[in-house]
Amino acid sequence: MLNKLSFQEHLSLGYLFLVVLGLVSEAIFYGFLDINYLEYVSILDALFSPISLLINNKLLFGVFILFMLLTFFWIVRFPKIHEKNKDKKWYRKLYKEDTNKKGIKVSKKSGFVFVVLYFLFALLLGFRLGAGINYKKKLTNIKFKSDCLLIFKDNSKLKVKKIGQNSAYIFYVEEKDSVVTATPILDNIKQIKRIKKEK
């Protein structure tokens, strides 16, 4: 199927996939915090959100790369191993093949892409779902510690726990508060400083 598509069509499908993934994953996360994220997001924010999540989280990135390598081995290398050993007695005991059963033939490229994209979708949705539940509990129990200092254009300062940020808004919780606030960056904020963690 994918082999019949042009390069431009591949790009369009990839663009659409990332946008949908970004919108759904962020909407789920912020939904737990009583924020309608779709009111604050642009198409570019949704497009880069999945990429940003992977790059900024070493564990997620590592799991995704490992899965890609394992999937590549299984789809590309395993058929060769199977073809080489299918007549050997020890191998037939490990792998029983029903020669009468006909399956749907899928190209290696299509199979690899579909499996990897499905895993990426499930991985990021699961991660944002878990993060949303965790943040909701912390909001309810007011257990957030400030990690950012916001300096506004009128030079007033505010210590907050940064929840997230996109191109236009920053989402944060004030100290000893349980409500997430969304503030436009360009109109209000002059500087965002990271507060060093106390040792």
mmCIF file with all atom_site columns, all heavy atoms in Angstrom, residues 73-96:
data_model
loop_
_atom_site.group_PDB
_atom_site.id
_atom_site.type_symbol
_atom_site.label_atom_id
_atom_site.label_alt_id
_atom_site.label_comp_id
_atom_site.label_asym_id
_atom_site.label_entity_id
_atom_site.label_seq_id
_atom_site.pdbx_PDB_ins_code
_atom_site.Cartn_x
_atom_site.Cartn_y
_atom_site.Cartn_z
_atom_site.occupancy
_atom_site.B_iso_or_equiv
_atom_site.pdbx_formal_charge
_atom_site.auth_seq_id
_atom_site.auth_comp_id
_atom_site.auth_asym_id
_atom_site.auth_atom_id
_atom_site.pdbx_PDB_model_num
ATOM 1   N N   . PHE A 1 73 ? 14.032 -5.972  13.249 1.00 0.00 ? 73 PHE A N   1
ATOM 2   C CA  . PHE A 1 73 ? 14.600 -7.325  13.228 1.00 0.00 ? 73 PHE A CA  1
ATOM 3   C C   . PHE A 1 73 ? 13.506 -8.349  12.950 1.00 0.00 ? 73 PHE A C   1
ATOM 4   O O   . PHE A 1 73 ? 13.692 -9.266  12.141 1.00 0.00 ? 73 PHE A O   1
ATOM 5   C CB  . PHE A 1 73 ? 15.261 -7.637  14.575 1.00 0.00 ? 73 PHE A CB  1
ATOM 6   C CG  . PHE A 1 73 ? 15.705 -9.069  14.704 1.00 0.00 ? 73 PHE A CG  1
ATOM 7   C CD1 . PHE A 1 73 ? 16.895 -9.496  14.124 1.00 0.00 ? 73 PHE A CD1 1
ATOM 8   C CD2 . PHE A 1 73 ? 14.923 -9.999  15.380 1.00 0.00 ? 73 PHE A CD2 1
ATOM 9   C CE1 . PHE A 1 73 ? 17.296 -10.827 14.230 1.00 0.00 ? 73 PHE A CE1 1
ATOM 10  C CE2 . PHE A 1 73 ? 15.320 -11.321 15.485 1.00 0.00 ? 73 PHE A CE2 1
ATOM 11  C CZ  . PHE A 1 73 ? 16.510 -11.735 14.909 1.00 0.00 ? 73 PHE A CZ  1
ATOM 12  N N   . TRP A 1 74 ? 12.361 -8.202  13.623 1.00 0.00 ? 74 TRP A N   1
ATOM 13  C CA  . TRP A 1 74 ? 11.287 -9.185  13.490 1.00 0.00 ? 74 TRP A CA  1
ATOM 14  C C   . TRP A 1 74 ? 10.698 -9.215  12.073 1.00 0.00 ? 74 TRP A C   1
ATOM 15  O O   . TRP A 1 74 ? 10.444 -10.263 11.508 1.00 0.00 ? 74 TRP A O   1
ATOM 16  C CB  . TRP A 1 74 ? 10.199 -8.893  14.504 1.00 0.00 ? 74 TRP A CB  1
ATOM 17  C CG  . TRP A 1 74 ? 9.092  -9.903  14.480 1.00 0.00 ? 74 TRP A CG  1
ATOM 18  C CD1 . TRP A 1 74 ? 7.858  -9.766  13.921 1.00 0.00 ? 74 TRP A CD1 1
ATOM 19  C CD2 . TRP A 1 74 ? 9.123  -11.233 15.004 1.00 0.00 ? 74 TRP A CD2 1
ATOM 20  N NE1 . TRP A 1 74 ? 7.111  -10.905 14.070 1.00 0.00 ? 74 TRP A NE1 1
ATOM 21  C CE2 . TRP A 1 74 ? 7.870  -11.838 14.735 1.00 0.00 ? 74 TRP A CE2 1
ATOM 22  C CE3 . TRP A 1 74 ? 10.086 -11.977 15.678 1.00 0.00 ? 74 TRP A CE3 1
ATOM 23  C CZ2 . TRP A 1 74 ? 7.573  -13.135 15.128 1.00 0.00 ? 74 TRP A CZ2 1
ATOM 24  C CZ3 . TRP A 1 74 ? 9.782  -13.273 16.067 1.00 0.00 ? 74 TRP A CZ3 1
ATOM 25  C CH2 . TRP A 1 74 ? 8.531  -13.831 15.786 1.00 0.00 ? 74 TRP A CH2 1
ATOM 26  N N   . ILE A 1 75 ? 10.480 -8.033  11.507 1.00 0.00 ? 75 ILE A N   1
ATOM 27  C CA  . ILE A 1 75 ? 9.815  -7.954  10.195 1.00 0.00 ? 75 ILE A CA  1
ATOM 28  C C   . ILE A 1 75 ? 10.784 -8.186  9.040  1.00 0.00 ? 75 ILE A C   1
ATOM 29  O O   . ILE A 1 75 ? 10.445 -8.848  8.061  1.00 0.00 ? 75 ILE A O   1
ATOM 30  C CB  . ILE A 1 75 ? 9.109  -6.590  10.036 1.00 0.00 ? 75 ILE A CB  1
ATOM 31  C CG1 . ILE A 1 75 ? 7.917  -6.509  11.010 1.00 0.00 ? 75 ILE A CG1 1
ATOM 32  C CG2 . ILE A 1 75 ? 8.628  -6.367  8.612  1.00 0.00 ? 75 ILE A CG2 1
ATOM 33  C CD1 . ILE A 1 75 ? 7.178  -5.195  10.978 1.00 0.00 ? 75 ILE A CD1 1
ATOM 34  N N   . VAL A 1 76 ? 11.997 -7.662  9.168  1.00 0.00 ? 76 VAL A N   1
ATOM 35  C CA  . VAL A 1 76 ? 12.946 -7.762  8.053  1.00 0.00 ? 76 VAL A CA  1
ATOM 36  C C   . VAL A 1 76 ? 13.836 -9.007  8.150  1.00 0.00 ? 76 VAL A C   1
ATOM 37  O O   . VAL A 1 76 ? 14.037 -9.725  7.169  1.00 0.00 ? 76 VAL A O   1
ATOM 38  C CB  . VAL A 1 76 ? 13.827 -6.492  7.986  1.00 0.00 ? 76 VAL A CB  1
ATOM 39  C CG1 . VAL A 1 76 ? 14.882 -6.624  6.892  1.00 0.00 ? 76 VAL A CG1 1
ATOM 40  C CG2 . VAL A 1 76 ? 12.954 -5.272  7.743  1.00 0.00 ? 76 VAL A CG2 1
ATOM 41  N N   . ARG A 1 77 ? 14.355 -9.277  9.349  1.00 0.00 ? 77 ARG A N   1
ATOM 42  C CA  . ARG A 1 77 ? 15.311 -10.372 9.487  1.00 0.00 ? 77 ARG A CA  1
ATOM 43  C C   . ARG A 1 77 ? 14.654 -11.729 9.728  1.00 0.00 ? 77 ARG A C   1
ATOM 44  O O   . ARG A 1 77 ? 15.136 -12.755 9.246  1.00 0.00 ? 77 ARG A O   1
ATOM 45  C CB  . ARG A 1 77 ? 16.278 -10.070 10.641 1.00 0.00 ? 77 ARG A CB  1
ATOM 46  C CG  . ARG A 1 77 ? 17.165 -8.862  10.409 1.00 0.00 ? 77 ARG A CG  1
ATOM 47  C CD  . ARG A 1 77 ? 18.124 -9.072  9.265  1.00 0.00 ? 77 ARG A CD  1
ATOM 48  N NE  . ARG A 1 77 ? 18.974 -10.239 9.481  1.00 0.00 ? 77 ARG A NE  1
ATOM 49  C CZ  . ARG A 1 77 ? 19.754 -10.786 8.562  1.00 0.00 ? 77 ARG A CZ  1
ATOM 50  N NH1 . ARG A 1 77 ? 19.772 -10.261 7.332  1.00 0.00 ? 77 ARG A NH1 1
ATOM 51  N NH2 . ARG A 1 77 ? 20.495 -11.838 8.822  1.00 0.00 ? 77 ARG A NH2 1
ATOM 52  N N   . PHE A 1 78 ? 13.544 -11.747 10.496 1.00 0.00 ? 78 PHE A N   1
ATOM 53  C CA  . PHE A 1 78 ? 12.934 -13.024 10.857 1.00 0.00 ? 78 PHE A CA  1
ATOM 54  C C   . PHE A 1 78 ? 12.509 -13.863 9.646  1.00 0.00 ? 78 PHE A C   1
ATOM 55  O O   . PHE A 1 78 ? 12.731 -15.080 9.644  1.00 0.00 ? 78 PHE A O   1
ATOM 56  C CB  . PHE A 1 78 ? 11.742 -12.822 11.793 1.00 0.00 ? 78 PHE A CB  1
ATOM 57  C CG  . PHE A 1 78 ? 11.094 -14.107 12.202 1.00 0.00 ? 78 PHE A CG  1
ATOM 58  C CD1 . PHE A 1 78 ? 11.695 -14.932 13.136 1.00 0.00 ? 78 PHE A CD1 1
ATOM 59  C CD2 . PHE A 1 78 ? 9.888  -14.514 11.639 1.00 0.00 ? 78 PHE A CD2 1
ATOM 60  C CE1 . PHE A 1 78 ? 11.108 -16.138 13.511 1.00 0.00 ? 78 PHE A CE1 1
ATOM 61  C CE2 . PHE A 1 78 ? 9.306  -15.709 12.003 1.00 0.00 ? 78 PHE A CE2 1
ATOM 62  C CZ  . PHE A 1 78 ? 9.915  -16.527 12.945 1.00 0.00 ? 78 PHE A CZ  1
ATOM 63  N N   . PRO A 1 79 ? 11.902 -13.273 8.606  1.00 0.00 ? 79 PRO A N   1
ATOM 64  C CA  . PRO A 1 79 ? 11.537 -14.100 7.434  1.00 0.00 ? 79 PRO A CA  1
ATOM 65  C C   . PRO A 1 79 ? 12.730 -14.808 6.814  1.00 0.00 ? 79 PRO A C   1
ATOM 66  O O   . PRO A 1 79 ? 12.608 -15.939 6.329  1.00 0.00 ? 79 PRO A O   1
ATOM 67  C CB  . PRO A 1 79 ? 10.938 -13.072 6.463  1.00 0.00 ? 79 PRO A CB  1
ATOM 68  C CG  . PRO A 1 79 ? 10.418 -11.993 7.351  1.00 0.00 ? 79 PRO A CG  1
ATOM 69  C CD  . PRO A 1 79 ? 11.397 -11.899 8.464  1.00 0.00 ? 79 PRO A CD  1
ATOM 70  N N   . LYS A 1 80 ? 13.903 -14.161 6.840  1.00 0.00 ? 80 LYS A N   1
ATOM 71  C CA  . LYS A 1 80 ? 15.110 -14.780 6.284  1.00 0.00 ? 80 LYS A CA  1
ATOM 72  C C   . LYS A 1 80 ? 15.561 -15.951 7.157  1.00 0.00 ? 80 LYS A C   1
ATOM 73  O O   . LYS A 1 80 ? 15.982 -16.997 6.651  1.00 0.00 ? 80 LYS A O   1
ATOM 74  C CB  . LYS A 1 80 ? 16.224 -13.739 6.170  1.00 0.00 ? 80 LYS A CB  1
ATOM 75  C CG  . LYS A 1 80 ? 15.922 -12.631 5.166  1.00 0.00 ? 80 LYS A CG  1
ATOM 76  C CD  . LYS A 1 80 ? 17.051 -11.622 5.111  1.00 0.00 ? 80 LYS A CD  1
ATOM 77  C CE  . LYS A 1 80 ? 16.727 -10.513 4.100  1.00 0.00 ? 80 LYS A CE  1
ATOM 78  N NZ  . LYS A 1 80 ? 17.795 -9.492  4.053  1.00 0.00 ? 80 LYS A NZ  1
ATOM 79  N N   . ILE A 1 81 ? 15.467 -15.740 8.489  1.00 0.00 ? 81 ILE A N   1
ATOM 80  C CA  . ILE A 1 81 ? 15.834 -16.809 9.415  1.00 0.00 ? 81 ILE A CA  1
ATOM 81  C C   . ILE A 1 81 ? 14.868 -17.983 9.259  1.00 0.00 ? 81 ILE A C   1
ATOM 82  O O   . ILE A 1 81 ? 15.261 -19.150 9.266  1.00 0.00 ? 81 ILE A O   1
ATOM 83  C CB  . ILE A 1 81 ? 15.810 -16.279 10.869 1.00 0.00 ? 81 ILE A CB  1
ATOM 84  C CG1 . ILE A 1 81 ? 16.898 -15.211 11.044 1.00 0.00 ? 81 ILE A CG1 1
ATOM 85  C CG2 . ILE A 1 81 ? 16.007 -17.409 11.867 1.00 0.00 ? 81 ILE A CG2 1
ATOM 86  C CD1 . ILE A 1 81 ? 16.845 -14.499 12.377 1.00 0.00 ? 81 ILE A CD1 1
ATOM 87  N N   . HIS A 1 82 ? 13.588 -17.637 9.096  1.00 0.00 ? 82 HIS A N   1
ATOM 88  C CA  . HIS A 1 82 ? 12.563 -18.661 8.929  1.00 0.00 ? 82 HIS A CA  1
ATOM 89  C C   . HIS A 1 82 ? 12.790 -19.469 7.647  1.00 0.00 ? 82 HIS A C   1
ATOM 90  O O   . HIS A 1 82 ? 12.700 -20.703 7.641  1.00 0.00 ? 82 HIS A O   1
ATOM 91  C CB  . HIS A 1 82 ? 11.187 -17.999 8.892  1.00 0.00 ? 82 HIS A CB  1
ATOM 92  C CG  . HIS A 1 82 ? 10.074 -18.951 8.571  1.00 0.00 ? 82 HIS A CG  1
ATOM 93  N ND1 . HIS A 1 82 ? 9.685  -19.960 9.429  1.00 0.00 ? 82 HIS A ND1 1
ATOM 94  C CD2 . HIS A 1 82 ? 9.271  -19.063 7.478  1.00 0.00 ? 82 HIS A CD2 1
ATOM 95  C CE1 . HIS A 1 82 ? 8.691  -20.636 8.893  1.00 0.00 ? 82 HIS A CE1 1
ATOM 96  N NE2 . HIS A 1 82 ? 8.415  -20.113 7.705  1.00 0.00 ? 82 HIS A NE2 1
ATOM 97  N N   . GLU A 1 83 ? 13.095 -18.782 6.577  1.00 0.00 ? 83 GLU A N   1
ATOM 98  C CA  . GLU A 1 83 ? 13.309 -19.435 5.281  1.00 0.00 ? 83 GLU A CA  1
ATOM 99  C C   . GLU A 1 83 ? 14.534 -20.354 5.325  1.00 0.00 ? 83 GLU A C   1
ATOM 100 O O   . GLU A 1 83 ? 14.534 -21.440 4.740  1.00 0.00 ? 83 GLU A O   1
ATOM 101 C CB  . GLU A 1 83 ? 13.504 -18.366 4.202  1.00 0.00 ? 83 GLU A CB  1
ATOM 102 C CG  . GLU A 1 83 ? 13.486 -18.901 2.786  1.00 0.00 ? 83 GLU A CG  1
ATOM 103 C CD  . GLU A 1 83 ? 12.140 -19.499 2.384  1.00 0.00 ? 83 GLU A CD  1
ATOM 104 O OE1 . GLU A 1 83 ? 11.098 -19.047 2.919  1.00 0.00 ? 83 GLU A OE1 1
ATOM 105 O OE2 . GLU A 1 83 ? 12.132 -20.427 1.557  1.00 0.00 ? 83 GLU A OE2 1
ATOM 106 N N   . LYS A 1 84 ? 15.533 -19.933 6.057  1.00 0.00 ? 84 LYS A N   1
ATOM 107 C CA  . LYS A 1 84 ? 16.776 -20.701 6.140  1.00 0.00 ? 84 LYS A CA  1
ATOM 108 C C   . LYS A 1 84 ? 16.621 -21.970 6.978  1.00 0.00 ? 84 LYS A C   1
ATOM 109 O O   . LYS A 1 84 ? 17.230 -22.999 6.688  1.00 0.00 ? 84 LYS A O   1
ATOM 110 C CB  . LYS A 1 84 ? 17.875 -19.810 6.739  1.00 0.00 ? 84 LYS A CB  1
ATOM 111 C CG  . LYS A 1 84 ? 19.238 -20.474 6.807  1.00 0.00 ? 84 LYS A CG  1
ATOM 112 C CD  . LYS A 1 84 ? 20.262 -19.513 7.387  1.00 0.00 ? 84 LYS A CD  1
ATOM 113 C CE  . LYS A 1 84 ? 21.632 -20.180 7.480  1.00 0.00 ? 84 LYS A CE  1
ATOM 114 N NZ  . LYS A 1 84 ? 22.651 -19.258 8.066  1.00 0.00 ? 84 LYS A NZ  1
ATOM 115 N N   . ASN A 1 85 ? 15.773 -21.896 8.015  1.00 0.00 ? 85 ASN A N   1
ATOM 116 C CA  . ASN A 1 85 ? 15.681 -23.005 8.966  1.00 0.00 ? 85 ASN A CA  1
ATOM 117 C C   . ASN A 1 85 ? 14.361 -23.768 8.956  1.00 0.00 ? 85 ASN A C   1
ATOM 118 O O   . ASN A 1 85 ? 14.183 -24.696 9.757  1.00 0.00 ? 85 ASN A O   1
ATOM 119 C CB  . ASN A 1 85 ? 15.907 -22.474 10.394 1.00 0.00 ? 85 ASN A CB  1
ATOM 120 C CG  . ASN A 1 85 ? 17.278 -21.873 10.581 1.00 0.00 ? 85 ASN A CG  1
ATOM 121 O OD1 . ASN A 1 85 ? 18.285 -22.569 10.547 1.00 0.00 ? 85 ASN A OD1 1
ATOM 122 N ND2 . ASN A 1 85 ? 17.322 -20.557 10.758 1.00 0.00 ? 85 ASN A ND2 1
ATOM 123 N N   . LYS A 1 86 ? 13.450 -23.419 8.053  1.00 0.00 ? 86 LYS A N   1
ATOM 124 C CA  . LYS A 1 86 ? 12.108 -24.002 8.104  1.00 0.00 ? 86 LYS A CA  1
ATOM 125 C C   . LYS A 1 86 ? 12.074 -25.519 7.891  1.00 0.00 ? 86 LYS A C   1
ATOM 126 O O   . LYS A 1 86 ? 11.142 -26.186 8.336  1.00 0.00 ? 86 LYS A O   1
ATOM 127 C CB  . LYS A 1 86 ? 11.201 -23.319 7.075  1.00 0.00 ? 86 LYS A CB  1
ATOM 128 C CG  . LYS A 1 86 ? 11.585 -23.556 5.627  1.00 0.00 ? 86 LYS A CG  1
ATOM 129 C CD  . LYS A 1 86 ? 10.610 -22.847 4.718  1.00 0.00 ? 86 LYS A CD  1
ATOM 130 C CE  . LYS A 1 86 ? 10.948 -23.083 3.250  1.00 0.00 ? 86 LYS A CE  1
ATOM 131 N NZ  . LYS A 1 86 ? 9.991  -22.394 2.354  1.00 0.00 ? 86 LYS A NZ  1
ATOM 132 N N   . ASP A 1 87 ? 13.099 -26.082 7.241  1.00 0.00 ? 87 ASP A N   1
ATOM 133 C CA  . ASP A 1 87 ? 13.120 -27.527 6.998  1.00 0.00 ? 87 ASP A CA  1
ATOM 134 C C   . ASP A 1 87 ? 13.878 -28.298 8.081  1.00 0.00 ? 87 ASP A C   1
ATOM 135 O O   . ASP A 1 87 ? 13.906 -29.531 8.059  1.00 0.00 ? 87 ASP A O   1
ATOM 136 C CB  . ASP A 1 87 ? 13.746 -27.822 5.629  1.00 0.00 ? 87 ASP A CB  1
ATOM 137 C CG  . ASP A 1 87 ? 12.889 -27.267 4.497  1.00 0.00 ? 87 ASP A CG  1
ATOM 138 O OD1 . ASP A 1 87 ? 11.646 -27.294 4.647  1.00 0.00 ? 87 ASP A OD1 1
ATOM 139 O OD2 . ASP A 1 87 ? 13.453 -26.826 3.488  1.00 0.00 ? 87 ASP A OD2 1
ATOM 140 N N   . LYS A 1 88 ? 14.474 -27.582 9.009  1.00 0.00 ? 88 LYS A N   1
ATOM 141 C CA  . LYS A 1 88 ? 15.225 -28.248 10.072 1.00 0.00 ? 88 LYS A CA  1
ATOM 142 C C   . LYS A 1 88 ? 14.282 -28.717 11.177 1.00 0.00 ? 88 LYS A C   1
ATOM 143 O O   . LYS A 1 88 ? 13.341 -28.028 11.552 1.00 0.00 ? 88 LYS A O   1
ATOM 144 C CB  . LYS A 1 88 ? 16.283 -27.291 10.635 1.00 0.00 ? 88 LYS A CB  1
ATOM 145 C CG  . LYS A 1 88 ? 17.356 -26.933 9.599  1.00 0.00 ? 88 LYS A CG  1
ATOM 146 C CD  . LYS A 1 88 ? 18.381 -25.990 10.175 1.00 0.00 ? 88 LYS A CD  1
ATOM 147 C CE  . LYS A 1 88 ? 19.436 -25.630 9.114  1.00 0.00 ? 88 LYS A CE  1
ATOM 148 N NZ  . LYS A 1 88 ? 20.430 -24.674 9.622  1.00 0.00 ? 88 LYS A NZ  1
ATOM 149 N N   . LYS A 1 89 ? 14.568 -29.904 11.689 1.00 0.00 ? 89 LYS A N   1
ATOM 150 C CA  . LYS A 1 89 ? 13.683 -30.542 12.652 1.00 0.00 ? 89 LYS A CA  1
ATOM 151 C C   . LYS A 1 89 ? 13.530 -29.726 13.944 1.00 0.00 ? 89 LYS A C   1
ATOM 152 O O   . LYS A 1 89 ? 12.431 -29.537 14.463 1.00 0.00 ? 89 LYS A O   1
ATOM 153 C CB  . LYS A 1 89 ? 14.223 -31.937 12.977 1.00 0.00 ? 89 LYS A CB  1
ATOM 154 C CG  . LYS A 1 89 ? 13.274 -32.781 13.800 1.00 0.00 ? 89 LYS A CG  1
ATOM 155 C CD  . LYS A 1 89 ? 13.828 -34.182 13.965 1.00 0.00 ? 89 LYS A CD  1
ATOM 156 C CE  . LYS A 1 89 ? 12.854 -35.042 14.780 1.00 0.00 ? 89 LYS A CE  1
ATOM 157 N NZ  . LYS A 1 89 ? 13.373 -36.423 14.963 1.00 0.00 ? 89 LYS A NZ  1
ATOM 158 N N   . TRP A 1 90 ? 14.650 -29.215 14.477 1.00 0.00 ? 90 TRP A N   1
ATOM 159 C CA  . TRP A 1 90 ? 14.609 -28.456 15.733 1.00 0.00 ? 90 TRP A CA  1
ATOM 160 C C   . TRP A 1 90 ? 13.798 -27.175 15.594 1.00 0.00 ? 90 TRP A C   1
ATOM 161 O O   . TRP A 1 90 ? 13.129 -26.732 16.528 1.00 0.00 ? 90 TRP A O   1
ATOM 162 C CB  . TRP A 1 90 ? 16.024 -28.137 16.205 1.00 0.00 ? 90 TRP A CB  1
ATOM 163 C CG  . TRP A 1 90 ? 16.777 -27.205 15.274 1.00 0.00 ? 90 TRP A CG  1
ATOM 164 C CD1 . TRP A 1 90 ? 17.588 -27.537 14.251 1.00 0.00 ? 90 TRP A CD1 1
ATOM 165 C CD2 . TRP A 1 90 ? 16.765 -25.766 15.318 1.00 0.00 ? 90 TRP A CD2 1
ATOM 166 N NE1 . TRP A 1 90 ? 18.090 -26.421 13.634 1.00 0.00 ? 90 TRP A NE1 1
ATOM 167 C CE2 . TRP A 1 90 ? 17.607 -25.316 14.271 1.00 0.00 ? 90 TRP A CE2 1
ATOM 168 C CE3 . TRP A 1 90 ? 16.136 -24.822 16.121 1.00 0.00 ? 90 TRP A CE3 1
ATOM 169 C CZ2 . TRP A 1 90 ? 17.827 -23.967 14.018 1.00 0.00 ? 90 TRP A CZ2 1
ATOM 170 C CZ3 . TRP A 1 90 ? 16.355 -23.467 15.884 1.00 0.00 ? 90 TRP A CZ3 1
ATOM 171 C CH2 . TRP A 1 90 ? 17.189 -23.053 14.835 1.00 0.00 ? 90 TRP A CH2 1
ATOM 172 N N   . TYR A 1 91 ? 13.871 -26.606 14.382 1.00 0.00 ? 91 TYR A N   1
ATOM 173 C CA  . TYR A 1 91 ? 13.156 -25.345 14.162 1.00 0.00 ? 91 TYR A CA  1
ATOM 174 C C   . TYR A 1 91 ? 11.660 -25.580 14.023 1.00 0.00 ? 91 TYR A C   1
ATOM 175 O O   . TYR A 1 91 ? 10.848 -24.780 14.471 1.00 0.00 ? 91 TYR A O   1
ATOM 176 C CB  . TYR A 1 91 ? 13.707 -24.659 12.911 1.00 0.00 ? 91 TYR A CB  1
ATOM 177 C CG  . TYR A 1 91 ? 13.095 -23.294 12.662 1.00 0.00 ? 91 TYR A CG  1
ATOM 178 C CD1 . TYR A 1 91 ? 13.485 -22.188 13.406 1.00 0.00 ? 91 TYR A CD1 1
ATOM 179 C CD2 . TYR A 1 91 ? 12.115 -23.127 11.680 1.00 0.00 ? 91 TYR A CD2 1
ATOM 180 C CE1 . TYR A 1 91 ? 12.930 -20.948 13.179 1.00 0.00 ? 91 TYR A CE1 1
ATOM 181 C CE2 . TYR A 1 91 ? 11.550 -21.885 11.449 1.00 0.00 ? 91 TYR A CE2 1
ATOM 182 C CZ  . TYR A 1 91 ? 11.963 -20.797 12.201 1.00 0.00 ? 91 TYR A CZ  1
ATOM 183 O OH  . TYR A 1 91 ? 11.401 -19.564 11.988 1.00 0.00 ? 91 TYR A OH  1
ATOM 184 N N   . ARG A 1 92 ? 11.291 -26.704 13.379 1.00 0.00 ? 92 ARG A N   1
ATOM 185 C CA  . ARG A 1 92 ? 9.863  -27.004 13.196 1.00 0.00 ? 92 ARG A CA  1
ATOM 186 C C   . ARG A 1 92 ? 9.165  -27.214 14.535 1.00 0.00 ? 92 ARG A C   1
ATOM 187 O O   . ARG A 1 92 ? 7.974  -26.961 14.675 1.00 0.00 ? 92 ARG A O   1
ATOM 188 C CB  . ARG A 1 92 ? 9.698  -28.235 12.297 1.00 0.00 ? 92 ARG A CB  1
ATOM 189 C CG  . ARG A 1 92 ? 9.917  -27.929 10.821 1.00 0.00 ? 92 ARG A CG  1
ATOM 190 C CD  . ARG A 1 92 ? 9.316  -29.017 9.971  1.00 0.00 ? 92 ARG A CD  1
ATOM 191 N NE  . ARG A 1 92 ? 9.911  -30.318 10.294 1.00 0.00 ? 92 ARG A NE  1
ATOM 192 C CZ  . ARG A 1 92 ? 10.672 -31.005 9.456  1.00 0.00 ? 92 ARG A CZ  1
ATOM 193 N NH1 . ARG A 1 92 ? 10.940 -30.533 8.262  1.00 0.00 ? 92 ARG A NH1 1
ATOM 194 N NH2 . ARG A 1 92 ? 11.165 -32.172 9.809  1.00 0.00 ? 92 ARG A NH2 1
ATOM 195 N N   . LYS A 1 93 ? 9.922  -27.701 15.527 1.00 0.00 ? 93 LYS A N   1
ATOM 196 C CA  . LYS A 1 93 ? 9.345  -27.894 16.859 1.00 0.00 ? 93 LYS A CA  1
ATOM 197 C C   . LYS A 1 93 ? 9.056  -26.550 17.536 1.00 0.00 ? 93 LYS A C   1
ATOM 198 O O   . LYS A 1 93 ? 8.103  -26.409 18.307 1.00 0.00 ? 93 LYS A O   1
ATOM 199 C CB  . LYS A 1 93 ? 10.301 -28.706 17.728 1.00 0.00 ? 93 LYS A CB  1
ATOM 200 C CG  . LYS A 1 93 ? 10.405 -30.170 17.315 1.00 0.00 ? 93 LYS A CG  1
ATOM 201 C CD  . LYS A 1 93 ? 11.361 -30.906 18.233 1.00 0.00 ? 93 LYS A CD  1
ATOM 202 C CE  . LYS A 1 93 ? 11.470 -32.382 17.819 1.00 0.00 ? 93 LYS A CE  1
ATOM 203 N NZ  . LYS A 1 93 ? 12.416 -33.120 18.696 1.00 0.00 ? 93 LYS A NZ  1
ATOM 204 N N   . LEU A 1 94 ? 9.916  -25.570 17.252 1.00 0.00 ? 94 LEU A N   1
ATOM 205 C CA  . LEU A 1 94 ? 9.742  -24.240 17.847 1.00 0.00 ? 94 LEU A CA  1
ATOM 206 C C   . LEU A 1 94 ? 8.686  -23.417 17.124 1.00 0.00 ? 94 LEU A C   1
ATOM 207 O O   . LEU A 1 94 ? 7.958  -22.639 17.734 1.00 0.00 ? 94 LEU A O   1
ATOM 208 C CB  . LEU A 1 94 ? 11.080 -23.474 17.818 1.00 0.00 ? 94 LEU A CB  1
ATOM 209 C CG  . LEU A 1 94 ? 12.200 -24.029 18.691 1.00 0.00 ? 94 LEU A CG  1
ATOM 210 C CD1 . LEU A 1 94 ? 13.476 -23.237 18.440 1.00 0.00 ? 94 LEU A CD1 1
ATOM 211 C CD2 . LEU A 1 94 ? 11.818 -23.955 20.160 1.00 0.00 ? 94 LEU A CD2 1
ATOM 212 N N   . TYR A 1 95 ? 8.623  -23.607 15.810 1.00 0.00 ? 95 TYR A N   1
ATOM 213 C CA  . TYR A 1 95 ? 7.723  -22.781 15.005 1.00 0.00 ? 95 TYR A CA  1
ATOM 214 C C   . TYR A 1 95 ? 6.863  -23.664 14.131 1.00 0.00 ? 95 TYR A C   1
ATOM 215 O O   . TYR A 1 95 ? 7.336  -24.265 13.170 1.00 0.00 ? 95 TYR A O   1
ATOM 216 C CB  . TYR A 1 95 ? 8.529  -21.797 14.137 1.00 0.00 ? 95 TYR A CB  1
ATOM 217 C CG  . TYR A 1 95 ? 7.678  -20.851 13.337 1.00 0.00 ? 95 TYR A CG  1
ATOM 218 C CD1 . TYR A 1 95 ? 7.194  -19.682 13.897 1.00 0.00 ? 95 TYR A CD1 1
ATOM 219 C CD2 . TYR A 1 95 ? 7.357  -21.141 12.008 1.00 0.00 ? 95 TYR A CD2 1
ATOM 220 C CE1 . TYR A 1 95 ? 6.410  -18.810 13.154 1.00 0.00 ? 95 TYR A CE1 1
ATOM 221 C CE2 . TYR A 1 95 ? 6.566  -20.279 11.273 1.00 0.00 ? 95 TYR A CE2 1
ATOM 222 C CZ  . TYR A 1 95 ? 6.104  -19.114 11.848 1.00 0.00 ? 95 TYR A CZ  1
ATOM 223 O OH  . TYR A 1 95 ? 5.322  -18.258 11.119 1.00 0.00 ? 95 TYR A OH  1
ATOM 224 N N   . LYS A 1 96 ? 5.585  -23.794 14.488 1.00 0.00 ? 96 LYS A N   1
ATOM 225 C CA  . LYS A 1 96 ? 4.657  -24.601 13.713 1.00 0.00 ? 96 LYS A CA  1
ATOM 226 C C   . LYS A 1 96 ? 3.941  -23.735 12.697 1.00 0.00 ? 96 LYS A C   1
ATOM 227 O O   . LYS A 1 96 ? 3.325  -22.742 13.048 1.00 0.00 ? 96 LYS A O   1
ATOM 228 C CB  . LYS A 1 96 ? 3.643  -25.272 14.634 1.00 0.00 ? 96 LYS A CB  1
ATOM 229 C CG  . LYS A 1 96 ? 4.272  -26.289 15.570 1.00 0.00 ? 96 LYS A CG  1
ATOM 230 C CD  . LYS A 1 96 ? 3.222  -26.919 16.460 1.00 0.00 ? 96 LYS A CD  1
ATOM 231 C CE  . LYS A 1 96 ? 3.861  -27.933 17.410 1.00 0.00 ? 96 LYS A CE  1
ATOM 232 N NZ  . LYS A 1 96 ? 2.850  -28.546 18.284 1.00 0.00 ? 96 LYS A NZ  1
#
